[in-house]
Amino acid sequence: MSTIFTQIVEGEIPARIVYEDETTVAFLDANPLAPGHTLVIPKDEYERLNDVPADVATDLYDTIHRMVPAVEDAVDADATTVAFNNGEEAGQEVPHVHCHIVPRFEGDGGGPIHAVAGEAPDLDDDELDEIAAGIESEA
Ligand code: AMP
């Protein structure tokens, strides 16, 4: 069963497509958090960022880089929040990688990306060193 976004790519369900190239597509979110809320996806179905091959990741970032100023200019936004919900526990509902470009306006009542996590942990220097070393060894 293909994802709803693959169905958009295949033209099986309608969407307001605002940009398309060989490997990526951008379209308006059906339930926008702000006017101009746009999703950017790879055409091929990958559930998480972790699954996206390097060449597709490059194409995806190129399209995000193109679309951020396009969206901001089109709706006269002051800024944008640009984010992925990467995995179900992070709030990802559609299992097909997608970048949210959410226009932001002065006084819109929204918060920064720091608001998405739970209570901030209190980590000492040793714990931070250990975490940094663990990430560095995986990179
Ligand atoms: P996420 O929670 O990160 O998986 O976000 C999924 C997003 O997809 C939500 O913001 C939905 O409003 C949006 N969405 C779901 N179905 C459609 C659709 N058919 N066309 C456009 N956007 C959609």
Side-chain angles (χ1 to χ4, degrees):
M1 176 69 181
S2 57
T3 68
I4 196 151
F5 293 165
T6 293
Q7 293 171 51
I8 288 173
V9 170
E10 301 293 338
E12 293 166 5
I13 61 168
R16 289 187 172 84
I17 292 176
V18 293
Y19 176 78
E20 182 170 10
D21 60 27
E22 209 174 308
T23 54
T24 67
V25 60
F27 51 90
L28 293 190
D29 194 294
N31 305 291
L33 296 174
H37 182 173
T38 297
L39 301 177
V40 181
I41 67 166
K43 285 185 171 175
D44 288 342
E45 214 171 272
Y46 305 102
E47 184 167 342
R48 291 173 60 149
L49 277 174
N50 321 34
D51 308 320
V52 177
D55 57 336
V56 179
T58 300
D59 293 348
L60 188 62
Y61 187 76
D62 283 347
T63 300
I64 294 165
H65 184 251
R66 170 190 286 258
M67 295 313 298
V68 165
V71 169
E72 288 186 2
D73 289 350
V75 299
D76 205 18
D78 297 313
T80 33
T81 295
V82 181
F84 294 81
N85 290 324
N86 192 40
E88 209 176 324
E89 295 77 4
Q92 183 179 359
E93 291 180 357
V94 179
H96 185 147
V97 165
H98 49 284
C99 174
H100 292 263
I101 302 174
V102 183
R104 300 297 304 271
F105 302 88
E106 193 180 347
D108 65 12
I113 206 155
H114 299 76
V116 301
E119 200 175 322
D122 187 16
L123 299 167
D124 63 29
D125 279 346
D126 288 345
E127 290 168 314
L128 290 168
D129 287 345
E130 194 183 329
I131 291 166
I135 295 171
E136 188 180 14
S137 72
E138 297 286 344

